[in-house]
Amino acid sequence: MTLHGLMQDEPLLISSLIRHAAEQHGDREVVARTCEGPVHHSSWAEVERRGSRLAEALRALGVGEGDRVATLAWNTHRHLECFYGVSGIGAVLHTVNPRLFEEQIEYIVRHAEDRVLVFDLEFLPLVEKLATKCPDVQHFVLLAEGKDIPADATLANLHAYEDLLTAQTGQFVWPDFDERAASSLCYTSGTTGNPKGVLYSHRSTVLHALGANQPGVFGLKPTDCVMGMAPLYHANGWAMPYVLPLAGAKYVLPGSQIEPAACQELIEDERVTAAFAVPTVWTMMLGYLAQTGKKLETLERTFIGGTAVSQALRDAYRDDHGVEVVHLWGMTETSPLGTIGTPTARVAELPKEARDEQLLKQGRIPFGVKMKIVGGDGEEVKRDGEDFGAMWVKGPWIASGYFKGEGGDVLDPDGWFPTGDVGTFDEFGYMKITDRTKDVIKSGGEWISSIDLENLASAHPKVQLAAAVAAYHPKWDERPILVVVPVPGETVAKEDVLGTLEGKIAKWWMPDDVVVLDELPMTATGKIRKATLREQLWNHLVESAS
Ligand code: ADP
């Protein structure tokens, strides 16, 4: 018989995060650019107050535990309030990516069986179309005031958010329930097949917020001012709505304007010290700063993930702008914190060049995440920074499957989740991504990293885009070929491209051919659709040989 400890068994609920922030950091600001443009100033106490009014309103509309409430909205204070108002009553916040194709949005809303759809005004035409196709949606909430509802809006059961809030008593008390209850839902775009829903729980979300606030991860302090540029629908805004109330930091949201001019202005005006976004956003910002001579005076560090950070990007921020770049890796299925590129004591003591190289990797494992890397032979690979294999993860904020069993049983018999990424581990405990499982090229049973080939080929000044994919080979099963799109107005020759790889890779990694195309197939989220390329070029080597 287990001797149980005698400590209180309080459930870990998302409402406890906002209650903490309201009580302990109530006057700490929450600043958001509205969709109309002007900047709105509020505070954690205000987010709690309005979030609880939304909770009361949703209950009055008949929303109960487990019901899904979808949002089609940008990074605004109202959208942030939904994170608490919806999950706080045990309903599920389903953040939908408005940039997906219309058919995908319809598929997702129907699949999730959303009962309420909350949206920004600019999505009204889209929502009116969805309404005819998604019969489960019973109420529509426009994130605006009553006077903003257009006279010609055709939706039945359309409510103005501000009117709903005003109509409540304000006497709402956050309820207690099972911490394992579902809290929010995020579909991964996926490059093949239908989108799949990752269903977070209150427990996973609170533990993740604690995990992200442990020393050596984001290192956020109450004195920090943090701008979340990752859209709130993308892995729930990289969890900033949950991480920042715990830290007691000031939160700055860019609204719908993630372009450099608007963000640079907010960073300066609000004295932002840390910011989160994908590499594309930071690359565009660099261009803007170079063009205008503007600065990011107060910014101390940026957290970058989603795709790999290049050395050029990291160096430009550090050397030209005094901004430290912290690399991180994660996925929707990991809440999203997986690894973080901050130094351990050993790495901090390395000579500068070695340390720089080390911190460009995707990073080390924080408490709460476990990871194993398994080679083609099914055995864990050596942690020598060379051998690579498929990465598997485990932990209390890692998905155990997808909503409604989509994709079947995904865990291995020991409970590990397949990330679909391929990487190495080094002696310092740092992970480096070398590929995606489906993109790795298997030549004679040995693996070739498509990402390494692409990075080298992209360094060629005349190459705008490069993709390395496997093509069928009668002897080796698969051999790499490179597909490149030249910079507009330029032409590139096969020998030219392969020349840039010479001496930088093992001889047997050298692509068997280079195919030049005008454009590459892309996904809605701007990633190269490699599966399509692979299909198109699978017989390329056999055909060109005959
Ligand atoms: P998807 O893009 O498939 O919809 P996610 O947004 O969850 O899903 O993306 C997760 C994937 O993004 C990871 O599995 C990995 O391939 C890639 N990724 C995330 N961070 C990094 C990084 N720092 N470096 C390289 N790849 C990354």
Side-chain angles (χ1 to χ4, degrees):
M1 268 269 286
T2 308
L3 175 62
H4 285 129
L6 290 172
M7 309 313 284
Q8 298 183 7
D9 202 8
E10 187 157 307
L12 302 173
L13 297 178
I14 284 174
S15 54
S16 69
L17 299 174
I18 195 65
R19 274 171 36 203
H20 167 79
E23 284 164 17
Q24 305 305 324
H25 308 280
D27 56 359
R28 197 69 179 126
E29 276 179 287
V30 173
V31 177
R33 194 183 289 284
T34 57
C35 292
E36 299 75 40
V39 174
H40 177 271
H41 289 259
S42 133
S43 64
W44 286 119
E46 186 71 356
V47 173
E48 196 266 347
R49 194 183 68 76
R50 286 168 52 91
S52 72
R53 282 182 170 256
L54 174 63
E56 200 184 343
L58 289 172
R59 271 206 180 150
L61 291 180
V63 176
E65 286 190 16
D67 284 343
R68 271 78 71 195
V69 174
T71 59
L72 270 169
W74 300 116
N75 289 20
T76 66
H77 62 289
R78 292 182 179 128
H79 197 184
L80 173 66
E81 290 155 11
C82 294
F83 278 65
Y84 290 98
V86 175
S87 304
I89 55 168
V92 179
L93 179 78
H94 173 201
T95 47
V96 184
N97 178 352
R99 290 209 176 107
L100 294 177
F101 302 118
E102 210 174 294
E103 297 76 44
Q104 276 178 317
I105 295 181
E106 181 195 330
Y107 171 88
I108 287 173
V109 170
R110 288 177 69 109
H111 189 268
E113 297 171 70
D114 294 319
R115 282 195 60 190
V116 179
L117 183 48
V118 180
F119 62 99
D120 283 331
L121 184 57
E122 72 169 269
F123 301 119
L124 180 61
L126 170 67
V127 172
E128 287 186 334
K129 274 194 252 171
L130 285 173
T132 60
K133 296 172 180 159
C134 305
D136 290 323
V137 183
Q138 292 157 3
H139 292 279
F140 298 88
V141 179
L142 175 66
L143 290 168
E145 295 175 25
K147 67 173 174 48
D148 300 323
I149 295 185
D152 57 355
T154 58
L155 290 169
N157 289 334
L158 174 60
H159 314 268
Y161 181 82
E162 294 297 336
D163 292 356
L164 280 182
L165 262 50
T166 313
Q168 307 309 313
T169 65
Q171 303 300 312
F172 179 82
V173 179
W174 298 106
D176 269 357
F177 45 81
D178 184 353
E179 66 181 21
R180 288 180 172 77
S183 57
S184 70
L185 178 62
C186 230
Y187 280 73
T188 60
S189 52
T191 39
T192 53
N194 280 322
K196 295 193 282 293
V198 178
L199 189 60
Y200 306 100
S201 70
H202 284 260
R203 177 184 155 81
S204 76
T205 305
V206 172
L207 289 175
H208 178 266
L210 283 164
N213 275 300
Q214 69 186 288
V217 179
F218 295 156
L220 298 171
K221 307 177 293 295
T223 47
D224 268 312
C225 171
V226 182
M227 177 131 106
M229 285 140 97
L232 286 179
Y233 52 78
H234 209 166
N236 282 335
W238 293 11
M240 286 303 111
Y242 310 118
V243 171
L244 297 182
L246 236 182
K250 172 173 167 180
Y251 191 7
V252 179
L253 297 130
S256 61
Q257 298 181 34
I258 308 185
E259 59 273 6
C263 284
Q264 188 272 343
E265 186 186 280
L266 258 190
I267 290 174
E268 291 286 285
D269 288 355
E270 299 303 328
R271 309 194 60 75
V272 169
T273 58
F276 289 74
V278 293
T280 329
V281 168
W282 293 113
T283 305
M284 279 164 34
M285 177 68 85
L286 263 190
Y288 174 75
L289 298 176
Q291 216 175 33
T292 56
K294 294 200 168 156
K295 298 270 177 248
L296 302 169
E297 296 286 359
T298 57
L299 196 64
E300 294 163 11
R301 54 206 193 288
T302 65
F303 294 87
I304 314 188
T307 48
V309 174
S310 69
Q311 186 183 342
L313 187 70
R314 192 266 314 266
D315 292 355
Y317 274 100
R318 185 190 54 199
D319 303 339
D320 304 344
H321 296 280
V323 178
E324 179 197 356
V325 168
V326 181
H327 196 180
L328 45 87
W329 167 88
M331 49 198 306
T332 310
E333 292 88 334
T334 65
S335 292
L337 176 62
T339 61
I340 181 92
T342 52
T344 56
R346 257 183 93 196
V347 167
E349 283 162 8
L350 288 173
K352 183 174 179 308
E353 218 167 278
R355 189 177 62 231
D356 279 359
E357 194 185 321
Q358 196 63 31
L359 296 181
L360 207 53
K361 295 189 174 188
Q362 275 75 7
R364 63 192 177 80
I365 297 171
F367 172 82
V369 178
K370 282 187 281 184
M371 190 176 274
K372 67 173 181 180
I373 300 196
V374 177
D377 56 2
E379 298 293 320
E380 279 199 51
V381 303
K382 287 202 287 293
R383 300 202 167 197
D384 59 1
E386 297 281 328
D387 283 7
F388 55 87
M391 291 170 22
W392 297 74
V393 286
K394 206 176 185 178
W397 61 76
I398 311 289
S400 64
Y402 294 99
F403 188 37
K404 295 185 173 175
E406 212 62 44
D409 292 337
V410 289
L411 303 185
D412 79 359
D414 299 322
W416 293 87
F417 178 88
T419 63
D421 286 324
V422 173
T424 61
F425 252 126
D426 63 26
E427 51 158 327
F428 297 98
Y430 284 64
M431 183 275 287
K432 181 175 185 233
I433 302 257
T434 56
D435 225 323
R436 304 270 307 164
T437 323
K438 11 184 221 314
D439 298 336
V440 77
I441 300 153
K442 299 177 188 100
S443 172
E446 299 286 344
W447 287 10
I448 296 173
S449 157
S450 68
I451 293 185
D452 282 358
L453 298 180
E454 285 158 9
N455 286 346
L456 290 167
S458 308
H460 191 290
K462 289 183 184 168
V463 170
Q464 188 181 43
L465 271 179
V469 292
Y472 173 68
H473 190 283
K475 178 165 177 199
W476 302 109
D477 287 338
E478 292 181 6
R479 286 294 303 155
I481 56 175
L482 259 177
V483 190
V484 297
V485 176
V487 168
E490 295 285 358
T491 49
V492 281
K494 170 180 170 179
E495 296 69 31
D496 227 16
V497 179
L498 295 184
T500 57
L501 275 60
E502 204 86 50
K504 300 194 181 103
I505 49 168
K507 278 213 178 68
W508 61 275
W509 278 35
M510 192 56 81
D512 282 21
D513 201 5
V514 178
V515 178
V516 182
L517 295 179
D518 292 337
E519 54 179 18
L520 298 182
M522 306 294 271
T523 67
T525 46
K527 298 190 183 182
I528 298 173
R529 217 179 258 284
K530 283 219 208 161
T532 310
L533 272 183
R534 212 169 18 242
E535 255 169 53
Q536 285 168 358
L537 295 166
W538 181 242
N539 287 315
H540 174 78
L541 293 175
V542 194
E543 282 162 10
S544 37
S546 61

